[in-house]
Amino acid sequence: MANGIRDRVAIVGMGCSRFGERWSDNAEDLMLEALSEALTDAGIERNKIEAAWLGVCLEENNVGKTAGPLAQGLRLPYIAVTRVENACATGTEALRGAVYAVASGAYDIALALGVEKLKDTGYGGLPVRTRGVVADLWLPNASAPGAFAQLASAYQAKYGVSYDDLKQAMAHVSVKSHDNAALNPKAHLRNKITIDDVLKAPTVAEPLGLYDCSGVSDGAACAIVTTPEIARELGKRDIVTVKSLQLAVSNGEEAQFSNWDGASVRTAEVAAAKAYREAGIADPREALDLIEVHDCFSITELVLMENLGLSDPGRAPFDILEGRYDRNGKIPCQVDGGLKCFGHPIGASGLRMVYEVYQQILGRAGERQLPKADIGLTQNLGGHPHQNVCAISIIGRLGA
């Protein structure tokens, strides 16, 4: 009977490029920037890597459809390399492949790397191309802000939250991310903003304004994983392990049936329950020291606080306004700035989240270091509220 992967795989090295508008760098430059940091952290040469997983979402833009760009760009030594894609959960999907490979005993040391090069496409947001009659039929003129604005409207209607309270809570989410990113030298957006800035910003899709939306970035992030035993052989004393990796994908019920009220992300509820069970967490509100979630829009972060079991239903706006998820709050959220401000190169975002938790656990987060960081959760969401993939990872100190 399956018993999960808790503490069976250790992360021995991580790297993350600076995110942003990297006009003068190509995808290979970004990958090398991340890998160089990870190899130094792990204390190994690249010829020790036995297999690798490359996460790229929009492969047509500056990277390519196969795993070749990773093997060629980093001169990996003729090893097995697999390219994966799972919308905005692509980075976590790459990590899942590498972690499962080590947990299975197939390899001793594996690499997961995610990258995206989006800022020189001549397009303001995510590049859009037709994918045939099915996608065009089901998503005519769909936009991410429009889809998540509907999540906000449904949430407000279900719980009777006033428009002003919801807007204030969403504004707090955005201001918090900007404050945190100001302390992060690798973040894309490091400018501080005010509540007034958010509330007076142009509307993108009611009730979402400009500052309620994350942008996209160029960037790469990676992890080198192995067994705890090999980690000790490499001289690691403070060992960080994977407690859980879970994935849930919409099966069509939210989009095609009437039993979903539109006010939650159902996949997040399912994946979170499985992740907590695999990690042996009975009460996430007490167990988790920090979280990194998919704040593609401020309303997404707000709703996810409930779907992850961290706020009671209908209470997330008020928990946010009370500072529960601030850097000095009960459960710090987006300490690195999140998608909103660290940036969102789609293939790298899942690994970037893990990078921040890893840095916090090892006490390397500089000005944004938390006083206590033993275990943390990351959550990716790819797609729209009604049809998506949700990936969750929980990592922490060995034995925590």
Side-chain angles (χ1 to χ4, degrees):
M1 182 177 179
N3 56 9
I5 58 169
R6 181 182 178 185
D7 289 337
R8 292 171 61 184
V9 177
I11 302 174
V12 291
M14 290 205 73
C16 184
S17 75
R18 180 176 59 82
F19 283 14
E21 296 178 330
R22 302 289 299 269
W23 305 113
S24 61
D25 298 303
N26 59 27
E28 289 80 5
D29 294 325
L30 300 174
M31 290 191 287
L32 183 59
E33 187 177 327
L35 180 65
S36 296
E37 181 184 355
L39 289 171
T40 300
D41 184 21
I44 65 172
E45 299 295 328
R46 76 182 71 194
N47 60 10
K48 295 295 185 183
I49 298 171
E50 299 172 348
W53 277 257
L54 169 65
V56 181
C57 184
L58 299 173
E59 77 283 348
E60 294 90 349
N61 296 300
N62 304 306
V63 183
K65 289 183 178 297
T66 74
L70 182 65
Q72 295 161 21
L74 302 182
R75 293 294 188 265
L76 298 178
Y78 295 97
I79 61 174
V81 183
T82 303
R83 184 238 163 181
V84 298
E85 183 272 318
N86 217 345
C88 292
T90 294
T92 307
E93 188 67 34
L95 179 64
R96 194 167 70 108
V99 166
Y100 280 13
V102 170
S104 72
Y107 299 104
D108 286 334
I109 298 177
L111 168 71
L113 187 147
V115 64
E116 214 78 52
K117 188 79 172 71
L118 297 172
K119 296 307 293 183
D120 49 6
T121 61
Y123 198 89
L126 296 180
V128 175
R129 289 181 172 85
T130 182
R131 290 173 292 177
V133 294
V134 175
D136 290 344
L137 173 67
W138 283 98
L139 296 173
N141 303 314
S143 74
F148 284 89
Q150 292 180 60
L151 176 68
S153 299
Y155 182 91
Q156 185 183 351
K158 179 175 181 177
Y159 293 110
V161 179
S162 73
Y163 179 84
D164 288 343
D165 283 343
L166 188 65
K167 287 288 286 185
Q168 285 285 338
M170 291 194 304
H172 188 102
V173 166
S174 298
V175 169
K176 166 179 63 68
S177 291
H178 277 266
D179 283 348
N180 292 343
L183 303 176
N184 186 351
K186 293 188 176 184
H188 187 163
L189 302 176
R190 301 188 64 196
N191 59 310
K192 292 190 175 186
I193 60 173
T194 67
I195 295 291
D196 209 37
D197 290 332
V198 181
L199 297 178
K200 291 183 177 179
T203 298
V204 174
E206 181 66 32
L208 304 180
L210 177 65
Y211 287 112
D212 291 307
C213 309
S214 73
V216 295
S217 312
D218 300 332
C222 68
I224 297 171
V225 297
T226 186
T227 64
E229 294 75 22
I230 294 175
R232 291 190 188 94
E233 292 173 7
L234 292 172
K236 305 296 181 182
R237 287 176 170 75
D238 198 3
I239 297 176
V240 178
T241 59
V242 178
K243 308 292 181 181
S244 177
L245 273 171
Q246 289 292 336
L247 198 71
V249 182
S250 297
N251 66 0
E253 289 187 9
E254 301 103 303
Q256 300 169 16
F257 296 90
S258 59
N259 60 352
W260 176 62
D261 58 22
S264 65
V265 181
R266 183 172 293 176
T267 54
E269 297 170 339
V270 173
K274 292 180 178 179
Y276 296 145
R277 187 161 54 248
E278 184 176 31
I281 292 175
D283 184 356
R285 302 183 192 191
E286 294 299 322
L288 298 175
D289 295 319
L290 73 155
I291 57 175
E292 291 279 329
V293 303
H294 203 83
D295 58 323
C296 49
F297 301 94
S298 54
I299 186 61
T300 320
E301 178 175 327
L302 184 153
V303 171
L304 285 168
M305 296 304 98
E306 297 179 14
N307 300 157
L308 297 175
L310 305 176
S311 284
D312 291 335
R315 283 294 308 169
F318 310 103
D319 288 344
I320 287 169
L321 290 171
E322 291 165 6
R324 180 179 181 85
Y325 303 109
D326 290 357
R327 192 169 67 250
N328 60 355
K330 171 67 175 174
I331 310 174
C333 179
Q334 320 298 57
V335 183
D336 62 356
L339 273 68
K340 175 68 178 72
C341 295
F342 198 132
H344 186 27
I346 305 172
S349 287
L351 282 157
R352 184 272 302 165
M353 294 177 176
V354 175
Y355 176 82
E356 177 64 18
V357 176
Y358 176 81
Q359 296 290 82
Q360 289 283 349
I361 291 171
L362 294 177
R364 302 174 179 172
E367 290 185 82
R368 63 187 187 280
Q369 180 64 48
L370 300 174
K372 182 180 183 296
D374 293 321
I375 188 167
L377 173 146
T378 74
Q379 181 270 340
N380 274 148
L381 185 71
H384 291 170
H386 70 281
Q387 185 171 311
N388 59 75
V389 51
C390 178
I392 291 179
S393 74
I394 298 175
I395 71 167
R397 297 184 195 278
L398 180 62

Short mmCIF file of all heavy atoms in Angstrom, two decimals, residues 302-333:
data_model
loop_
_atom_site.label_atom_id
_atom_site.label_comp_id
_atom_site.label_asym_id
_atom_site.label_seq_id
_atom_site.Cartn_x
_atom_site.Cartn_y
_atom_site.Cartn_z
N LEU A 302 -6.64 35.53 -1.29
CA LEU A 302 -7.67 35.62 -0.24
C LEU A 302 -8.48 34.34 -0.15
O LEU A 302 -8.63 33.75 0.94
CB LEU A 302 -8.57 36.83 -0.53
CG LEU A 302 -9.65 37.19 0.48
CD1 LEU A 302 -9.97 38.69 0.39
CD2 LEU A 302 -10.94 36.39 0.27
N VAL A 303 -9.00 33.88 -1.26
CA VAL A 303 -9.84 32.67 -1.27
C VAL A 303 -9.03 31.44 -0.86
O VAL A 303 -9.52 30.55 -0.15
CB VAL A 303 -10.50 32.49 -2.64
CG1 VAL A 303 -11.20 31.13 -2.75
CG2 VAL A 303 -11.50 33.62 -2.91
N LEU A 304 -7.78 31.38 -1.30
CA LEU A 304 -6.95 30.21 -0.98
C LEU A 304 -6.71 30.07 0.52
O LEU A 304 -6.48 28.96 1.00
CB LEU A 304 -5.62 30.29 -1.73
CG LEU A 304 -5.68 29.98 -3.22
CD1 LEU A 304 -4.37 30.37 -3.91
CD2 LEU A 304 -5.99 28.50 -3.46
N MET A 305 -6.71 31.15 1.26
CA MET A 305 -6.53 31.04 2.71
C MET A 305 -7.60 30.15 3.33
O MET A 305 -7.33 29.42 4.29
CB MET A 305 -6.55 32.43 3.36
CG MET A 305 -5.42 33.36 2.94
SD MET A 305 -3.75 32.70 3.20
CE MET A 305 -3.36 32.08 1.56
N GLU A 306 -8.78 30.19 2.76
CA GLU A 306 -9.86 29.32 3.25
C GLU A 306 -9.74 27.92 2.66
O GLU A 306 -9.93 26.92 3.37
CB GLU A 306 -11.21 29.94 2.91
CG GLU A 306 -11.42 31.28 3.61
CD GLU A 306 -12.74 31.93 3.26
OE1 GLU A 306 -13.63 31.24 2.68
OE2 GLU A 306 -12.91 33.13 3.56
N ASN A 307 -9.45 27.83 1.37
CA ASN A 307 -9.36 26.52 0.73
C ASN A 307 -8.24 25.67 1.28
O ASN A 307 -8.29 24.44 1.25
CB ASN A 307 -9.19 26.69 -0.78
CG ASN A 307 -10.33 27.44 -1.44
OD1 ASN A 307 -10.16 28.00 -2.51
ND2 ASN A 307 -11.50 27.49 -0.80
N LEU A 308 -7.18 26.31 1.80
CA LEU A 308 -6.07 25.59 2.43
C LEU A 308 -6.31 25.33 3.91
O LEU A 308 -5.45 24.78 4.60
CB LEU A 308 -4.76 26.38 2.25
CG LEU A 308 -4.29 26.58 0.81
CD1 LEU A 308 -3.06 27.48 0.76
CD2 LEU A 308 -3.99 25.24 0.13
N GLY A 309 -7.47 25.71 4.40
CA GLY A 309 -7.82 25.44 5.79
C GLY A 309 -7.16 26.36 6.79
O GLY A 309 -7.08 26.03 7.99
N LEU A 310 -6.72 27.55 6.35
CA LEU A 310 -6.01 28.47 7.24
C LEU A 310 -6.91 29.56 7.79
O LEU A 310 -6.58 30.20 8.80
CB LEU A 310 -4.82 29.08 6.50
CG LEU A 310 -3.85 28.04 5.90
CD1 LEU A 310 -2.76 28.73 5.09
CD2 LEU A 310 -3.26 27.16 6.98
N SER A 311 -8.03 29.81 7.14
CA SER A 311 -9.06 30.71 7.64
C SER A 311 -10.40 29.99 7.57
O SER A 311 -10.61 29.13 6.71
CB SER A 311 -9.14 31.99 6.78
OG SER A 311 -8.09 32.88 7.06
N ASP A 312 -11.30 30.35 8.46
CA ASP A 312 -12.64 29.78 8.41
C ASP A 312 -13.40 30.34 7.21
O ASP A 312 -13.10 31.45 6.74
CB ASP A 312 -13.41 30.11 9.70
CG ASP A 312 -12.85 29.38 10.91
OD1 ASP A 312 -12.24 28.32 10.74
OD2 ASP A 312 -13.02 29.90 12.04
N PRO A 313 -14.39 29.60 6.69
CA PRO A 313 -15.17 30.09 5.55
C PRO A 313 -15.76 31.47 5.82
O PRO A 313 -16.40 31.71 6.86
CB PRO A 313 -16.27 29.03 5.40
CG PRO A 313 -15.65 27.78 5.94
CD PRO A 313 -14.79 28.24 7.09
N GLY A 314 -15.53 32.39 4.90
CA GLY A 314 -16.05 33.74 5.02
C GLY A 314 -15.22 34.67 5.88
O GLY A 314 -15.54 35.86 6.00
N ARG A 315 -14.15 34.17 6.49
CA ARG A 315 -13.36 34.96 7.42
C ARG A 315 -12.05 35.48 6.83
O ARG A 315 -11.40 36.34 7.44
CB ARG A 315 -13.01 34.12 8.66
CG ARG A 315 -14.13 33.95 9.65
CD ARG A 315 -14.51 35.26 10.30
NE ARG A 315 -13.33 35.96 10.87
CZ ARG A 315 -13.37 37.22 11.30
NH1 ARG A 315 -14.50 37.91 11.22
NH2 ARG A 315 -12.29 37.78 11.81
N ALA A 316 -11.65 35.01 5.66
CA ALA A 316 -10.34 35.39 5.12
C ALA A 316 -10.15 36.89 5.00
O ALA A 316 -9.08 37.42 5.36
CB ALA A 316 -10.10 34.70 3.78
N PRO A 317 -11.14 37.66 4.50
CA PRO A 317 -10.90 39.11 4.40
C PRO A 317 -10.54 39.75 5.74
O PRO A 317 -9.68 40.64 5.80
CB PRO A 317 -12.24 39.65 3.86
CG PRO A 317 -12.88 38.48 3.18
CD PRO A 317 -12.47 37.29 3.98
N PHE A 318 -11.19 39.29 6.78
CA PHE A 318 -10.98 39.90 8.09
C PHE A 318 -9.67 39.41 8.73
O PHE A 318 -8.97 40.18 9.39
CB PHE A 318 -12.19 39.62 8.97
CG PHE A 318 -13.48 39.98 8.27
CD1 PHE A 318 -14.29 39.00 7.71
CD2 PHE A 318 -13.85 41.31 8.10
CE1 PHE A 318 -15.45 39.33 7.02
CE2 PHE A 318 -15.01 41.65 7.41
CZ PHE A 318 -15.81 40.67 6.87
N ASP A 319 -9.32 38.15 8.49
CA ASP A 319 -8.02 37.65 8.95
C ASP A 319 -6.89 38.42 8.27
O ASP A 319 -5.87 38.75 8.89
CB ASP A 319 -7.88 36.15 8.66
CG ASP A 319 -8.75 35.30 9.55
OD1 ASP A 319 -9.23 35.79 10.59
OD2 ASP A 319 -8.95 34.11 9.21
N ILE A 320 -7.06 38.69 6.98
CA ILE A 320 -6.06 39.44 6.24
C ILE A 320 -5.92 40.85 6.79
O ILE A 320 -4.81 41.34 7.05
CB ILE A 320 -6.43 39.47 4.74
CG1 ILE A 320 -6.18 38.10 4.10
CG2 ILE A 320 -5.65 40.56 4.00
CD1 ILE A 320 -6.76 37.94 2.72
N LEU A 321 -7.04 41.53 7.02
CA LEU A 321 -7.00 42.90 7.52
C LEU A 321 -6.44 42.96 8.94
O LEU A 321 -5.88 44.00 9.34
CB LEU A 321 -8.41 43.50 7.47
CG LEU A 321 -8.94 43.78 6.06
CD1 LEU A 321 -10.41 44.17 6.10
CD2 LEU A 321 -8.13 44.90 5.39
N GLU A 322 -6.58 41.88 9.69
CA GLU A 322 -6.02 41.84 11.04
C GLU A 322 -4.54 41.49 11.06
O GLU A 322 -3.92 41.44 12.13
CB GLU A 322 -6.81 40.84 11.89
CG GLU A 322 -8.24 41.30 12.20
CD GLU A 322 -9.13 40.17 12.70
OE1 GLU A 322 -8.61 39.04 12.93
OE2 GLU A 322 -10.35 40.40 12.87
N GLY A 323 -3.95 41.22 9.88
CA GLY A 323 -2.52 40.97 9.79
C GLY A 323 -2.09 39.54 9.99
O GLY A 323 -0.90 39.26 10.17
N ARG A 324 -3.03 38.60 9.92
CA ARG A 324 -2.71 37.20 10.16
C ARG A 324 -1.64 36.68 9.20
O ARG A 324 -0.81 35.84 9.57
CB ARG A 324 -3.98 36.35 10.04
CG ARG A 324 -3.78 34.86 10.27
CD ARG A 324 -5.12 34.12 10.13
NE ARG A 324 -4.98 32.70 10.36
CZ ARG A 324 -5.00 32.11 11.55
NH1 ARG A 324 -5.13 32.86 12.64
NH2 ARG A 324 -4.89 30.80 11.67
N TYR A 325 -1.64 37.17 7.95
CA TYR A 325 -0.73 36.66 6.93
C TYR A 325 0.39 37.63 6.58
O TYR A 325 1.10 37.43 5.59
CB TYR A 325 -1.53 36.26 5.68
CG TYR A 325 -2.61 35.26 6.01
CD1 TYR A 325 -3.97 35.61 5.99
CD2 TYR A 325 -2.28 33.97 6.41
CE1 TYR A 325 -4.95 34.70 6.32
CE2 TYR A 325 -3.26 33.04 6.74
CZ TYR A 325 -4.60 33.41 6.71
OH TYR A 325 -5.56 32.50 7.05
N ASP A 326 0.55 38.67 7.40
CA ASP A 326 1.67 39.59 7.21
C ASP A 326 2.99 38.91 7.58
O ASP A 326 2.99 37.85 8.23
CB ASP A 326 1.49 40.84 8.07
CG ASP A 326 0.35 41.72 7.59
OD1 ASP A 326 -0.26 41.41 6.55
OD2 ASP A 326 0.07 42.73 8.27
N ARG A 327 4.10 39.55 7.23
CA ARG A 327 5.40 38.96 7.52
C ARG A 327 5.60 38.72 9.02
O ARG A 327 6.26 37.76 9.42
CB ARG A 327 6.52 39.84 6.97
CG ARG A 327 7.89 39.17 6.95
CD ARG A 327 8.92 39.95 6.17
NE ARG A 327 9.25 41.22 6.79
CZ ARG A 327 8.91 42.41 6.32
NH1 ARG A 327 8.21 42.50 5.20
NH2 ARG A 327 9.25 43.53 6.94
N ASN A 328 5.01 39.56 9.85
CA ASN A 328 5.10 39.38 11.29
C ASN A 328 3.82 38.80 11.88
O ASN A 328 3.59 38.88 13.09
CB ASN A 328 5.43 40.70 11.98
CG ASN A 328 4.36 41.77 11.72
OD1 ASN A 328 3.44 41.54 10.94
ND2 ASN A 328 4.49 42.92 12.36
N GLY A 329 2.99 38.19 11.04
CA GLY A 329 1.73 37.63 11.49
C GLY A 329 1.84 36.16 11.89
O GLY A 329 2.93 35.58 11.92
N LYS A 330 0.71 35.56 12.18
CA LYS A 330 0.66 34.17 12.63
C LYS A 330 1.19 33.20 11.57
O LYS A 330 1.94 32.27 11.87
CB LYS A 330 -0.79 33.81 13.00
CG LYS A 330 -1.05 32.34 13.29
CD LYS A 330 -0.37 31.86 14.53
CE LYS A 330 -0.76 30.42 14.85
NZ LYS A 330 0.01 29.86 15.97
N ILE A 331 0.77 33.40 10.31
CA ILE A 331 1.20 32.53 9.20
C ILE A 331 1.68 33.43 8.06
O ILE A 331 0.89 33.79 7.18
CB ILE A 331 0.07 31.60 8.72
CG1 ILE A 331 -0.58 30.86 9.89
CG2 ILE A 331 0.62 30.58 7.71
CD1 ILE A 331 -1.80 30.05 9.49
N PRO A 332 2.94 33.82 8.05
CA PRO A 332 3.43 34.72 7.00
C PRO A 332 3.21 34.13 5.60
O PRO A 332 3.50 32.96 5.35
CB PRO A 332 4.93 34.84 7.31
CG PRO A 332 5.03 34.54 8.77
CD PRO A 332 3.99 33.50 9.03
N CYS A 333 2.70 34.97 4.72
CA CYS A 333 2.36 34.54 3.36
C CYS A 333 3.05 35.46 2.35
O CYS A 333 2.98 36.68 2.48
CB CYS A 333 0.84 34.59 3.18
SG CYS A 333 0.26 34.09 1.53
#
